[in-house]
Amino acid sequence: MNKILVCFSIIVLSLSNMSFNQPVKDGIITSTFGESRSDHFHDGLDMLSVSDEVRPLAGGALLYAWNRSLFPLENYWGGGNYKVIAHGDGLLSIYMHLQDVEILKQEYGESDIIGLIGNTGHSFGKHLHVSILDPAKRESINPLKILPAYSDNKSPEIMNFFIRIDNRYIRLNDKSDIRLTKHYPLLIEVKDTIKGNERLGLYNIKASLNGKEIANYTFDKIECSTDGLLVNNKIFIDVFDEKGYYKIKDIVYKEGMNNFLITVSDFNGNIFEKDFTINVKLDMQ
């Protein structure tokens, strides 16, 4: 599809020190980069604002646009009305779910309005989705790495631990006894907010078992590969469970006491740690 392939058909330059701005005034982040979307990673930030006006992250040239006002006989695609802007450093910024109002220019300055926040496409409420792509590296970049700092003083919180046996989720309590017939992945339920009402994804999650690190995922980029989209060289189903729980795979339990230490953090470095121990009876016959 040319709507996707156009992103990878440009000769780009290396990353420069271009200054990037927030796309909306006094924006509120409602979803973060890399979090679970049932069967795929969330590829950007979702934001709300009192003002509907959307401005580019930096000045650039309009590379592609789709708007229902321009194509009234076509159905919305998942991103609804959207624009792709190419910047002088080789990066592309994408703005999705815009209203049915078209503001077309060949070049946009950082103070120009490129569209209005809407609820078009596969959207469950009015919001702006913004993504940043590096076509040369075939990567999507966490916008929080490039945008101005966003105030967030709340640490994530680990809520529960589970293992899944067939379709049953078994909660693991500290110092509980459990019989295992195989080495099941550990599932971790996490809650993170900024203002208090959101349920956001993490920036980093680390897990240690009996003093040895067994996982360390950082959600700073999503890579495009022949195996699909990857975070830390892992596909979606290796990082998330169907319910959106974080998944730690390839665990080898030992007979007896198994001590886990889980550390989670958001982009601003707010950290939460939790350790727990389970007494495992291995029955691998």
Side-chain angles (χ1 to χ4, degrees), residues 46-84:
D46 288 349
M47 304 185 75
L48 297 175
S49 175
V50 174
S51 171
D52 288 340
E53 296 176 348
V54 179
R55 291 175 169 80
L57 305 185
L62 179 64
L63 180 63
Y64 196 90
W66 193 95
N67 192 283
R68 188 68 175 273
S69 66
L70 297 175
F71 308 103
L73 300 181
E74 291 191 30
N75 294 323
Y76 292 114
W77 77 296
N81 300 321
Y82 71 100
K83 277 190 171 73
V84 180

Side-chain angles (χ1 to χ4, degrees), residues 127-178:
H127 73 286
L128 170 70
H129 173 103
V130 59
S131 295
I132 300 174
L133 300 182
D134 185 338
K137 295 181 179 179
R138 296 174 63 83
E139 294 177 351
S140 178
I141 301 170
N142 188 334
L144 291 175
K145 293 184 64 179
I146 293 177
L147 296 180
Y150 188 91
S151 177
D152 177 9
N153 299 315
K154 294 181 180 292
S155 297
E157 183 179 359
I158 296 173
M159 308 299 292
N160 292 294
F161 301 101
F162 300 92
I163 59 171
R164 178 181 176 179
I165 301 178
D166 297 325
N167 290 321
R168 272 197 319 140
Y169 287 83
I170 300 172
R171 189 170 69 183
L172 301 176
N173 297 315
D174 188 30
K175 297 181 174 59
S176 61
D177 299 323
I178 188 166

